[in-house]
Amino acid sequence: MKPRTNQRDAARVALLPLDCPTAVLTRFFSGEPRPTLSRQHGFEQYMKTAHRQLNIEPTQPTGVEQIMELASFAALTALRTHWADPFAGTDYENREPDGSAEARMLRNPLQKHPGLTRFSFRARRYYVATITWLFENEFPPQFQAEIAAILLARDLPDTANQAPFRTYADSDPEAVHRQYRDRAQVTDSSVWIDGDHLSRCCQLLPFISKLVPSRTDQLPPLTISDGGLTIPRDVFRLKLAEYAWHGWARLVHTAYNTLDARDHNQLVADTPHAEDVIYDRFRTNNPVYTPYYASESDNPQREWRRDTYTEKPLQIEDKRLITVVDCIRASPTLSFGDPLPVEMLFTHVKTYFPPPRRPGNDIHSQNTLIKALANAESNQIKLSENEDASQLLCEIPAPPVTPIYPRNDDGPDVWDSYLRLQTNLRRSGVESEWIRKSDGHRQVVSPKIPEQAWQATSTDYGQALRHAHRTAAQTQATIPSIHDVHPLVDPESMELTRDELVFLTRIGLAMERKIVDFSLTESMRHLCQQSDGTTLDVNEDKLKDHDWLERHKEGLSILYTVPADKRKRLGIENTSNDGYGETTTSEKSLHRKGIDQTATWLATKPDVTRVVRYHDLWRLRSTTCEQPLKDRDFLSTRIDVIAFNDTTPKYIAEVETASNSPPRTRRCIEKLAAFSEFNDIETTLVTPNPEHLWTLMQHADHPNYFDFDSFPDANSEDYSPSTWQTKLENEGIIGQFLDQLKTYRSLSRSSADPEQCHQDKIVGNI
């Protein structure tokens, strides 16, 4: 299929994306956003109209000149809306205190929402309305027949094949046309399907009324006549809408996972009027979310600035409520709409680690959770007491399912489950119980599948909906390989060569753990290698002289660090969600390597079921650790690595590298000491090598800390980690402050069989 050059193939991609091969759709979007930006005015016209669409009545598209743009404009409108930042520099943003939660939630607000917003609903309706208009007004009868037959009379795949059956996957599109065109006839008033292909596939699914804002309770029946089934035009429109609702999701999902960060930035930068359209809709229709996860409570630190023209602030989504929604989406046991004990919900919230693309989890106590629920703006969020059990219960409404999430092959996507459902319905032939007499002579069929038949076939579809929620709430956005890394900023805007830009971007993304086939436990030597075996032309000395690069040697490994200010210039965001990254942007690769190596070492232990890096200690509330941590004021801090057996902490580790800051080392020791009083928790201080360890011991030689009887009269090269371990044991420091010392090298030696994979125990591991 060649939708960029063949108009009929373009129509197939626009109207029947579920039946097009994945490779075709990926190739279709791989050139974006350049083709769309070359038609910037038309695209912005399309988007402006899409945000105003209220129904799915056939609508002639605005701004579109070619059929393929009905697919590309629809997908990129969804993404451009998702990435919009409409309040930047406006009075609404200026009212908020700098650095406040409200100010942060105003930036890219649609991207933070748990599901689709009203803007997306309207854009989806517009896609349905425009392709319906295209089908009815622009296609010749035989091509209409092909489209209708694939919707209603598709071929059955091999029964052993569980993959979604895509009509155009293994056949020439024109051969498909010849195969299908005689199965249907399309007129201005109806669609007729040949009697040899009748099945429940011709009926509407029961949830059609939830997908489109149209009445479905008074639809005319289908009639059996002339050797086939006649479907009234209004019913067929809804069948096309049913398919298109899922087709739009597949187009958006494919585009989202095909465009990289550089494409994203280019689309946003070159369509500035999109912000104006969305901002106007926000200002006119506040609130704009469905459901709306806002709070009625005021932040006591939120002092309005009076030098603005906005008398009333926007309702802003509550970060805590978004965390609750994401937690339920990610959980295999919690459900929306069901009464949930608040105590149980908080237990799940404590173990939910949002991926970096979602707002971080900062519900630090059960009381914070209760306040957020009690002050929710939406009356769909309910808080009540169970008198019999003396429990506080809550109900949370489900957000709409969004297709904007990273690829995840662990389960079926909703659109593929729909296609499989249609295939199963196609296997259901004509049954006497779903045909009845009307007026004594006509045989008629209900336009909708009976609820009983739907329930018998919809199990997989329900599982796909839950899978979509889980994936949207917990899957990371990553890059498959170092060879898939491209500059995230315009090379012409930098004082670097393209090879240098690629090299530095690889390092920066590797530091943020965004490249699937690279681990910080490895050497970074091969980050300068290209897929063809050649080497990037990089002058390391030049990059170091201009403060773009730092080089560290650790054992046989070479590590590089791109400083935080330079990573920002490269378009690389700092990963700060606990479980995934550190809040400080100054953490270097040498320290990050130790974090990941320690996590890998702990994951190999047989009594460990889960390992968390950068663990917020407030998550240990309601455990035996809470009071000692509270007494030392540690509940608002993080531990570098923690390992659990189920929900019980078993191992604590702090990774420390040499610095000129004794207080930093001593703070690390204080955290380990807080856990050392528990006999069932083992604490470890990890440092790169003996030289770093020597400096740390100098920092710890203080009356309130290790306070050695005498500091060794030697140097770091002559004083091994094992010698330090013995000295700490002899002076009573082991057991009081920590349980053991480790270096990066000793971690590698003490790890279990390297062929065994334990990485799935590590939260946030890619």
Side-chain angles (χ1 to χ4, degrees):
M1 299 179 69
K2 299 178 180 179
R4 291 283 178 186
T5 57
N6 184 303
Q7 290 298 299
R8 288 163 71 92
D9 284 350
R12 291 168 177 128
V13 165
L15 271 75
L16 298 173
L18 302 184
D19 283 278
C20 295
T22 300
V24 169
L25 295 185
T26 301
R27 190 166 59 248
F28 177 75
F29 286 112
S30 62
E32 293 290 353
R34 285 185 296 277
T36 293
L37 293 177
S38 69
R39 296 258 302 109
Q40 177 187 341
H41 180 67
F43 174 64
E44 290 183 335
Q45 280 186 310
Y46 177 97
M47 184 161 47
K48 184 175 182 179
T49 308
H51 287 155
R52 296 173 176 171
Q53 187 73 18
L54 299 177
N55 55 50
I56 61 167
E57 293 300 315
T59 304
Q60 185 172 358
T62 302
V64 172
E65 292 182 352
Q66 301 180 64
I67 291 177
M68 67 178 181
E69 291 175 345
L70 289 177
S72 59
F73 282 14
L76 268 62
T77 289
L79 298 186
R80 184 62 183 87
T81 303
H82 180 72
W83 292 326
D85 195 9
F87 303 119
T90 68
D91 287 339
Y92 289 107
E93 183 180 53
N94 293 336
R95 289 187 69 114
E96 307 295 343
D98 292 338
S100 66
E102 288 79 9
R104 293 196 303 274
M105 293 305 293
L106 272 180
R107 302 309 303 264
N108 300 105
L110 303 176
Q111 195 168 348
K112 294 182 176 71
H113 193 278
L116 296 180
T117 66
R118 191 166 297 174
F119 293 106
S120 300
F121 294 152
R122 292 182 174 182
R124 194 177 217 164
R125 293 169 195 159
Y126 190 59
Y127 164 75
V128 174
T130 56
I131 67 164
T132 304
W133 179 89
L134 183 73
F135 176 86
E136 294 182 359
N137 293 277
E138 295 294 312
F139 292 162
Q142 286 197 333
F143 195 71
Q144 287 179 320
E146 175 191 336
I147 302 295
I150 289 174
L151 256 65
L152 306 173
R154 61 180 52 248
D155 275 349
L156 292 176
D158 187 333
T159 55
N161 182 11
Q162 294 301 311
F165 175 64
R166 307 200 195 283
T167 305
Y168 300 110
D170 301 314
S171 303
D172 174 73
E174 294 308 314
V176 172
H177 174 74
R178 291 189 293 272
Q179 178 184 358
Y180 277 83
R181 64 189 178 190
D182 294 330
R183 298 183 186 182
Q185 294 177 12
V186 180
T187 67
D188 291 341
S189 60
S190 65
V191 173
W192 175 87
I193 296 296
D194 185 272
D196 292 337
H197 299 282
L198 299 191
S199 70
R200 288 201 183 279
C201 195
C202 299
Q203 294 175 288
L204 298 171
L205 298 180
F207 60 71
I208 183 63
S209 58
K210 297 180 181 179
L211 305 186
V212 292
S214 300
R215 293 180 59 84
T216 60
D217 54 348
Q218 298 179 351
L219 289 172
L222 319 184
T223 60
I224 296 179
S225 60
D226 301 325
L229 183 70
T230 299
I231 303 171
R233 184 188 65 175
D234 290 346
V235 176
F236 178 78
R237 277 182 182 172
L238 289 180
K239 190 64 183 182
L240 181 58
E242 178 189 285
Y243 181 102
W245 189 91
H246 297 87
W248 178 89
R250 189 176 189 224
L251 290 172
V252 173
H253 181 78
T254 304
Y256 176 75
N257 286 285
T258 302
L259 273 63
D260 59 23
R262 179 183 51 181
D263 300 326
H264 161 190
N265 294 338
Q266 184 182 4
L267 178 64
V268 171
D270 291 356
T271 54
H273 296 302
E275 317 296 327
D276 300 335
V277 173
I278 295 171
Y279 176 69
D280 288 342
R281 302 303 295 174
F282 262 107
R283 192 170 51 180
T284 305
N285 297 313
N286 177 31
V288 296
Y289 296 119
T290 307
Y292 191 66
Y293 300 110
S295 174
E296 294 178 338
S297 61
D298 287 330
N299 184 339
Q301 299 177 348
R302 190 182 184 191
E303 296 181 2
W304 301 116
R305 299 182 182 181
R306 302 298 179 185
D307 57 345
T308 65
Y309 295 102
T310 52
E311 297 180 359
K312 181 181 178 182
L314 285 168
Q315 291 177 307
I316 303 168
E317 290 203 301
D318 191 321
K319 186 167 177 278
R320 300 165 301 176
L321 292 177
I322 291 181
T323 296
V324 168
V325 175
D326 279 352
C327 174
I328 298 174
R329 292 202 298 177
S331 171
T333 57
L334 301 181
S335 299
F336 290 106
D338 293 338
L340 300 173
V342 172
E343 184 176 359
M344 181 180 73
L345 178 59
F346 181 62
T347 299
H348 282 78
V349 165
K350 288 191 300 179
T351 58
Y352 169 59
F353 293 85
R357 59 190 182 80
R358 300 298 301 150
N361 186 349
D362 61 355
I363 301 179
H364 295 171
S365 68
Q366 185 168 316
N367 190 46
T368 301
L369 173 60
I370 293 172
K371 286 182 178 179
L373 296 171
N375 292 316
E377 177 74 25
S378 172
N379 57 14
Q380 296 181 64
I381 297 178
K382 301 174 183 177
L383 195 63
S384 61
E385 287 191 9
N386 183 336
E387 297 180 359
D388 296 335
S390 299
Q391 280 185 319
L392 197 60
L393 303 176
C394 65
E395 291 184 32
I396 312 296
V401 175
T402 173
I404 303 178
Y405 55 78
R407 286 193 181 98
N408 186 333
D409 297 329
D410 292 340
D413 291 307
V414 174
W415 45 91
D416 285 345
S417 180
Y418 169 78
L419 201 61
R420 188 175 296 113
L421 176 61
Q422 288 297 98
T423 301
N424 291 336
L425 292 173
R426 179 68 178 88
R427 291 192 176 101
S428 301
V430 177
E431 304 167 14
S432 58
E433 59 266 24
W434 62 284
I435 299 175
R436 57 187 174 82
K437 297 286 186 180
S438 176
D439 300 331
H441 63 280
R442 287 194 309 166
Q443 289 184 307
V444 301
V445 178
S446 170
K448 290 198 292 186
I449 294 175
E451 191 68 33
Q452 185 176 1
W454 157 248
Q455 290 176 355
T457 57
S458 63
T459 303
D460 290 344
Y461 188 83
Q463 292 174 349
L465 290 172
R466 289 188 288 273
H467 170 261
H469 275 310
R470 284 197 300 273
T471 305
Q474 65 185 19
T475 302
Q476 297 187 70
T478 56
I479 297 172
S481 165
I482 62 170
H483 303 303
D484 296 310
V485 173
H486 301 285
L488 305 180
V489 294
D490 182 2
E492 295 182 1
S493 67
M494 311 293 287
E495 66 276 15
L496 300 165
T497 68
R498 182 174 179 81
D499 279 7
E500 290 169 344
L501 193 54
V502 170
F503 179 61
L504 293 171
T505 303
R506 286 179 178 180
I507 295 170
L509 291 172
M511 290 178 67
E512 301 299 340
R513 303 173 177 88
K514 292 294 181 65
I515 305 177
V516 174
D517 74 344
F518 180 81
S519 167
L520 286 170
T521 60
E522 307 170 32
S523 174
M524 290 184 171
R525 292 179 189 271
H526 66 282
L527 290 184
C528 62
Q529 299 297 315
Q530 302 194 79
S531 57
D532 61 2
T534 59
T535 303
L536 293 170
D537 184 10
V538 174
N539 186 333
E540 288 189 22
D541 291 334
K542 169 198 163 186
L543 295 176
K544 288 190 287 184
D545 290 343
H546 289 82
D547 298 325
W548 277 98
L549 189 68
E550 297 177 20
R551 192 175 190 268
H552 325 278
K553 193 172 188 303
E554 173 49 41
L556 299 177
S557 297
I558 297 296
L559 298 174
Y560 299 107
T561 292
V562 176
D565 61 324
K566 297 298 194 292
R567 294 200 304 276
K568 187 174 182 179
R569 289 189 60 190
L570 293 171
I572 300 170
E573 295 183 0
N574 180 60
T575 298
S576 60
N577 287 17
D578 73 319
Y580 294 85
E582 184 54 273
T583 52
T584 174
T585 59
S586 61
E587 185 189 27
K588 299 184 179 182
S589 292
L590 184 62
H591 190 268
R592 296 172 193 236
K593 172 187 173 72
I595 297 284
D596 286 11
Q597 200 161 334
T598 302
T600 300
W601 167 62
L602 291 176
T604 64
K605 293 184 177 294
D607 58 343
V608 167
T609 59
R610 183 166 56 99
V611 179
V612 185
R613 301 164 294 184
Y614 308 104
H615 186 277
D616 280 342
L617 292 181
W618 65 261
R619 295 177 180 273
L620 296 182
R621 290 187 185 275
S622 305
T623 70
T624 55
C625 301
E626 178 178 5
Q627 194 58 46
L629 293 174
K630 185 177 181 181
D631 293 342
R632 290 174 166 84
D633 196 26
F634 281 149
L635 287 177
S636 60
T637 63
R638 284 183 174 180
I639 203 78
D640 281 342
V641 189
I642 184 171
F644 294 86
N645 183 324
D646 194 15
T647 59
T648 303
K650 298 295 292 183
Y651 301 93
I652 300 290
E654 278 285 289
V655 179
E656 192 66 18
T657 57
S659 70
N660 295 322
S661 174
R664 199 178 82 177
T665 302
R666 294 165 188 168
R667 181 69 169 173
C668 168
I669 292 170
E670 289 173 1
K671 285 191 278 187
L672 291 174
F675 288 96
S676 292
E677 64 182 70
F678 297 99
N679 294 329
D680 53 351
I681 298 179
E682 184 177 277
T683 59
T684 305
L685 175 63
V686 180
T687 194
N689 54 44
E691 183 179 350
H692 284 257
L693 181 56
W694 183 270
T695 302
L696 300 187
M697 293 299 103
Q698 288 179 318
H699 292 170
D701 188 17
H702 181 277
N704 294 334
Y705 297 91
F706 290 179
D707 195 18
F708 295 117
D709 294 339
S710 63
F711 201 83
D713 184 16
N715 57 54
S716 61
E717 295 179 358
D718 299 329
Y719 220 78
S720 67
S722 60
T723 307
W724 275 116
Q725 178 84 17
T726 301
K727 181 174 179 60
L728 296 181
E729 290 173 355
N730 292 339
E731 297 201 19
I733 295 170
I734 294 295
Q736 179 184 359
F737 290 95
L738 57 106
D739 293 320
Q740 63 179 330
L741 294 172
K742 288 286 185 182
T743 62
Y744 293 2
R745 183 179 180 185
S746 64
L747 288 178
S748 300
R749 289 201 307 263
S750 58
S751 294
D753 184 352
E755 293 186 1
Q756 295 184 6
C757 182
H758 304 276
Q759 297 297 309
D760 59 341
K761 295 182 183 180
I762 303 174
V763 169
N765 180 68
I766 58 173

